[in-house]
């Protein structure tokens, strides 16, 4: 999320945002320090490691998912993300065709096979729940796509992550560049692999 602060906030809101941003940055730094050295090394090296493996796309994708699960476990004390918080499920959710097919197999829901990737404005799906959000929780949590696995919100509450505000603020985030690079390689983002919003695949 690299957004800009708009002038719609009151002075009190601006002060609250400043405090939240400072707190989130501290929590982000503490999370980075808390990552075990071997896990940090795994994240740094996963792109190169998977590039050398003679394994299926699905097997490689599962290894990326497992890595993000381990990183997510370390992040738990430092993020506002928790069951019942669904703000990030009401914004753009870009996934790959490969992931859509896996979700379709697990759920039995028909998947649209797209011939080309689709891009959307950052506000196109703001406030529109993902179709897999049921009663405030993700109904495909164990099979959720990479973009959901790497999303972490270092504030103490989801207030600024809410779809009504998320496009108006810039907050400390973390990229997981090794895992992102591996994901793009596996899903062939730069060489014809199809990526679109989850709603395009299941619309």
């Amino acid at each position: 999320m690299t957004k800009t602060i708009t002038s719609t906030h009151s002075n009190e809101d601006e002060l609250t945002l400043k405090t939240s941003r400072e707190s989130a940055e501290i929590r982000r730094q503490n999370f980075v320090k808390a990552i075990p050295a071997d896990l940090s090394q795994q994240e740094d090296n996963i792109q190169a490691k998977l590039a050398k493996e003679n394994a299926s796309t699905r097997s490689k994708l599962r290894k990326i998912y497992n890595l993000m699960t381990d990183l997510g476990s370390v992040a738990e004390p430092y993020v506002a993300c928790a069951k019942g918080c669904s703000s990030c499920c009401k914004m753009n959710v870009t996934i790959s065709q490969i992931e859509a097919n896996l979700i379709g197999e697990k759920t039995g829901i028909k998947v649209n096979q797209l011939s080309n990737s689709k891009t959307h404005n950052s506000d196109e799906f703001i406030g529109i729940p993902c179709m897999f959000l049921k009663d405030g929780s993700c109904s495909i949590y164990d099979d959720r796509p990479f973009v959901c696995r790497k999303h972490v919100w270092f504030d103490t509450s989801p207030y600024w992550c809410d779809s009504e505000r998320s496009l108006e603020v810039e907050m400390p985030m973390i990229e997981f560049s090794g895992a992102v690079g591996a994901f793009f390689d596996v899903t062939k983002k730069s060489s014809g692999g199809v990526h679109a919003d989850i709603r395009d695949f299941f619309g």
Side-chain angles (χ1 to χ4, degrees), residues 149-180:
R149 295 170 186 270
K150 79 179 185 71
H151 182 85
V152 285
W153 189 252
F154 291 106
D155 201 357
T156 56
S157 84
Y159 178 82
W160 292 108
C161 190
D162 187 272
S163 56
E164 294 182 359
R165 309 175 187 90
S166 62
L167 293 182
E168 300 178 2
V169 302
E170 182 179 353
M171 293 288 282
M173 303 290 281
I174 193 163
E175 181 58 27
F176 300 117
S177 57
V180 169

Side-chain angles (χ1 to χ4, degrees), residues 15-153:
L15 180 59
T16 300
L17 176 57
K18 182 176 183 293
T19 301
S20 292
R21 187 183 289 117
E22 290 172 350
S23 173
E25 176 57 23
I26 291 171
R27 290 158 66 89
R28 187 191 70 82
Q29 292 177 13
N30 288 339
F31 160 63
V32 172
K33 292 176 184 176
I35 301 174
D38 61 335
L39 184 57
S40 180
Q41 187 173 29
Q42 285 180 49
E43 201 277 326
D44 288 339
N45 298 335
I46 189 169
Q47 184 176 10
K49 182 176 182 292
L50 293 185
K52 297 175 182 177
E53 285 191 5
N54 181 21
S56 69
T57 295
R58 293 188 177 198
S59 173
K60 291 182 178 182
L61 189 59
R62 180 52 59 184
K63 290 178 181 179
I64 297 170
Y65 283 0
N66 290 341
L67 172 64
M68 298 313 299
T69 295
D70 292 341
L71 287 166
S73 295
V74 179
E76 284 182 5
Y78 308 101
V79 297
C81 312
K83 186 175 182 179
C85 173
S86 58
S87 295
C88 61
C89 306
K90 300 171 185 174
M91 56 182 69
N92 294 18
V93 181
T94 302
I95 70 171
S96 64
Q97 181 77 65
I98 297 167
E99 293 176 295
N101 292 343
L102 289 172
I103 293 169
E105 290 175 12
K106 291 289 185 177
T107 62
I109 298 175
K110 182 181 178 180
V111 184
N112 296 326
Q113 301 298 315
L114 306 182
S115 57
N116 295 293
S117 294
K118 291 187 177 183
T119 57
H120 299 274
N121 292 332
S122 59
D123 62 349
E124 185 159 350
F125 297 109
I126 286 294
I128 301 175
C130 169
M131 67 288 300
F132 296 108
L133 182 65
K134 307 294 184 183
D135 299 321
S137 296
C138 177
S139 62
I140 57 166
Y141 189 80
D142 289 341
D143 301 293
R144 68 197 185 282
F146 177 74
V147 68
C148 302
R149 295 170 186 270
K150 79 179 185 71
H151 182 85
V152 285
W153 189 252

